Amino acid sequence: MRDPDTFESQQTLLVVDDEQDILDLVSTNLRRVGFTVVTASDGIEALEVAQKMKPDLIVLDLMLPGKDGFAVIKELRQDSKMRRIPVLMLTAKGEVSDKIAGLEIGADDYLTKPFSPRELTLRIRAILKRSSHVLSESSLEKENFRIERDSMRFYLKGKQIDLTSTEFKLLRLLLEADDRVQEREHLLREVWGYNDSTMTRTLDTHVKRLREKLGDFADCIQTVRGVGYRFSAR
Amino acid sequence: MRDPDTFESQQTLLVVDDEQDILDLVSTNLRRVGFTVVTASDGIEALEVAQKMKPDLIVLDLMLPGKDGFAVIKELRQDSKMRRIPVLMLTAKGEVSDKIAGLEIGADDYLTKPFSPRELTLRIRAILKRSSHVLSESSLEKENFRIERDSMRFYLKGKQIDLTSTEFKLLRLLLEADDRVQEREHLLREVWGYNDSTMTRTLDTHVKRLREKLGDFADCIQTVRGVGYRFSAR
DNA sequence: ACCGATTGTGACAATATTGTGACGGAACTT
DNA sequence: AAGTTCCGTCACAATATTGTCACAATCGGT
């Protein structure tokens, strides 16, 4: 009898690294624990494969010939089809800067080389669990909040509340972020498509409107001054 | 059959000493227990090799021709790529001064000659274990302190404490440094982006504000006169 | 014990950031 | 066409954060 946790529809991982031995090592290990693994050895290839295969997760080395990990993530996040694919970033020792530590680059997690295969699979499982829960189901429920992605409806304490489409997008992002701070720039990019991040106050205004509609729960949208907003359900 | 946890991409050590026999002894021993070892016999060479190889740890003799161990560490800590590489300092009997004892020089540990190979590998393992864990997880817990990088929340004895973003950055750096002294210049560069390190007292002020918020635990932020600050949790 | 350098401290002013209400235009409905 | 909804901007208010300064306290060295 199989452990129910491993009894999952096979999940596909894309592993991207330019060092062949690491690629081999990682993929054999991941296959051994039940994943389907495809590989790529540079950024361009990675993007192509990602587009074609729609992997459930990408393991991405930061240092790549041609297009580095940052660039790959950036393009990934700009494509609506691939935006949701979680990324686990691999970094060499010296590359660990604050940017990475803060996960400001858009990766979902990162791992410093050298790492043990066990650690890698643990991380992958954690991300997949989190994101399958959060992202793939059509409705997302959290405490008193509930969002139905398909119908674009929002419920607070079971009661439906009308949101405009922008409000909905914004609240959805905040909810999906699950207590992580979402930077202003990020929200502006995701909801409005603003890439320049210049002066606009529309985010503030919409947050205000959302808070109004949340009533007693207005404080669930917390502002992190100088950074962005964070949603903490209750 | 190998233990899966030891099945990791090989870790590289850089051993620096000007005495050839010690170099040989140490490296053969370290290779025997599974490390990749590269060597250098003076400070200049050490820095070059470190830059090129990005070793996972440097074993550094204090007494070196040309540039001594202190100088090497100092330069190391100034380079953003190499800043995080842990250093194990080797010292001869008489050289153990207060500076070394307090590890105020930026080393992660030190060992007095003569030492047994076994002791050396134990120390190395300890340092590597410590430093690989500190940065790789999204939340960092240490005694009564806990920092969640994603949500930018800080907890003391389980209770959440509000920090401004600057305070958060500062505390995070101190916590991540894990008992190592962080030089003023370094903190100013990392948190504020100041490169000139001229006269500003804002670091002092922020440390004070942090201490206020830490209450009883204010003394965990220790000042090292003329050098910087050190965080030692309890 | 004294001196100079360094750090702690409290107050303050400047600045940066966000909240808020109102407004006008655009898009959509009726 | 009139009414409605939604959206982004603006001006202004309300806050929160930050850096500096003057002065006190402390430390290290002699």
Side-chain angles (χ1 to χ4, degrees), chain A residues 2-14 27-38 53-57 124-125 128 132:
Chain A
R2 294 189 68 177
D3 171 9
D5 262 349
T6 66
F7 188 66
E8 54 206 349
S9 62
Q10 192 113 335
Q11 288 176 302
T12 309
L13 310 182
L14 166 58
S27 18
T28 52
N29 269 289
L30 291 176
R31 288 201 184 96
R32 191 174 303 154
V33 293
F35 291 109
T36 303
V37 182
V38 293
M53 310 280 297
K54 299 255 185 66
D56 298 289
L57 182 143
I124 291 178
R125 287 244 164 82
L128 286 176
S132 73

Side-chain angles (χ1 to χ4, degrees), chain A residues 3 14 27 33 36 38 47 61 64 82 85 87 90 93 98 107 118 120 122 128 131 137 148 162 187 195 204 215:
Chain A
D3 171 9
L14 166 58
S27 18
V33 293
T36 303
V38 293
L47 284 167
D61 192 53
L64 290 175
M82 302 190 285
I85 302 177
V87 173
L90 299 184
K93 203 56 159 242
D98 279 347
R118 185 171 158 64
L120 179 62
L122 282 179
L128 286 176
S131 63
E137 275 168 43
E148 285 182 0
D162 283 335
L187 294 170
N195 273 319
D204 304 66

Side-chain angles (χ1 to χ4, degrees), chain B residues 194-208:
Chain B
Y194 292 178
N195 275 318
D196 51 353
S197 86
T198 32
M199 250 341 213
T200 178
R201 303 293 312 283
T202 186
L203 172 56
D204 304 66
T205 306
H206 271 87
V207 166
K208 188 219 162 195

Side-chain angles (χ1 to χ4, degrees), chain A residues 90-105:
Chain A
L90 299 184
T91 64
K93 203 56 159 242
E95 301 164 0
V96 185
S97 73
D98 279 347
K99 259 204 150 13
I100 299 174
L103 298 179
E104 288 159 17
I105 46 173

Side-chain angles (χ1 to χ4, degrees), chain A residues 170-225:
Chain A
L170 178 56
L171 183 58
R172 197 187 63 180
L173 281 180
L174 289 172
L175 255 170
E176 285 171 354
D178 190 26
D179 210 35
R180 272 166 295 180
V181 176
Q182 300 295 100
E183 299 179 27
R184 293 180 72 89
E185 296 195 3
H186 176 235
L187 294 170
L188 283 168
R189 201 178 325 116
E190 293 293 313
V191 179
W192 286 271
Y194 291 177
N195 273 319
D196 52 352
S197 85
T198 31
M199 250 338 213
T200 178
R201 303 292 314 282
T202 186
L203 172 57
D204 304 66
T205 306
H206 276 268
V207 166
K208 189 219 162 195
R209 287 170 185 155
L210 260 181
R211 281 182 175 145
E212 269 171 10
K213 296 196 178 179
L214 294 188
D216 288 343
F217 290 81
D219 57 339
C220 289
I221 303 183
Q222 301 168 347
T223 117
V224 180
R225 233 157 208 266

Side-chain angles (χ1 to χ4, degrees), chain A residues 15-191:
Chain A
V15 181
V16 189
D17 202 316
D18 61 327
E19 294 169 72
Q20 189 57 41
D21 47 347
I22 291 197
L23 220 48
D24 290 344
L25 187 89
V26 168
S27 18
T28 52
N29 269 289
L30 291 176
R31 288 201 184 96
R32 191 174 303 154
V33 293
F35 291 109
T36 303
V37 182
V38 293
T39 63
S41 54
D42 65 75
I44 317 280
E45 193 190 349
L47 284 167
E48 279 169 13
V49 177
Q51 194 141 38
K52 220 176 296 171
M53 310 280 297
K54 299 255 185 66
D56 298 289
L57 182 143
I58 302 179
V59 178
L60 182 63
D61 192 53
L62 176 55
M63 223 51 152
L64 290 175
K67 237 186 238 300
D68 74 357
F70 290 117
V72 173
I73 287 191
K74 198 165 177 189
E75 290 205 29
L76 227 47
R77 297 309 189 218
Q78 252 148 25
D79 181 313
S80 67
K81 297 286 176 198
M82 302 190 285
R83 179 169 303 146
R84 306 265 186 111
I85 302 177
V87 173
L88 173 62
M89 184 77 103
L90 299 184
T91 64
K93 203 56 159 242
E95 301 164 0
V96 185
S97 73
D98 279 347
K99 259 204 150 13
I100 299 174
L103 298 179
E104 288 159 17
I105 46 173
D108 294 73
D109 199 354
Y110 76 103
L111 201 53
T112 311
K113 293 194 239 182
F115 49 81
S116 68
R118 185 171 158 64
E119 192 171 7
L120 179 62
T121 62
L122 282 179
R123 294 291 178 100
I124 291 178
R125 287 244 164 82
I127 298 178
L128 286 176
K129 193 171 173 187
R130 188 171 69 189
S131 63
S132 73
H133 229 250
V134 174
L135 289 181
S136 65
E137 275 168 43
S138 72
S139 92
L140 163 60
E141 200 160 354
K142 195 152 277 264
E143 305 278 347
N144 287 293
F145 296 83
R146 175 190 167 125
I147 268 193
E148 285 182 0
R149 282 188 251 266
D150 305 334
S151 60
M152 290 192 39
R153 281 189 215 279
F154 164 61
Y155 302 85
L156 175 54
K157 293 216 295 188
K159 277 193 288 285
Q160 202 228 310
I161 293 181
D162 283 335
L163 297 183
T164 71
S165 62
T166 318
E167 285 164 358
F168 184 83
K169 270 195 221 167
L170 178 56
L171 183 58
R172 197 187 63 180
L173 281 180
L174 289 172
L175 255 170
E176 285 171 354
D178 190 26
D179 210 35
R180 272 166 295 180
V181 176
Q182 300 295 100
E183 299 179 27
R184 293 180 72 89
E185 296 195 3
H186 176 235
L187 294 170
L188 283 168
R189 201 178 325 116
E190 293 293 313
V191 179

Side-chain angles (χ1 to χ4, degrees), chain B residues 162-179:
Chain B
D162 283 334
L163 299 182
T164 70
S165 57
T166 317
E167 286 164 357
F168 185 84
K169 270 195 221 167
L170 178 57
L171 183 58
R172 198 185 70 184
L173 281 180
L174 289 172
L175 256 170
E176 283 172 354
D178 192 26
D179 243 331

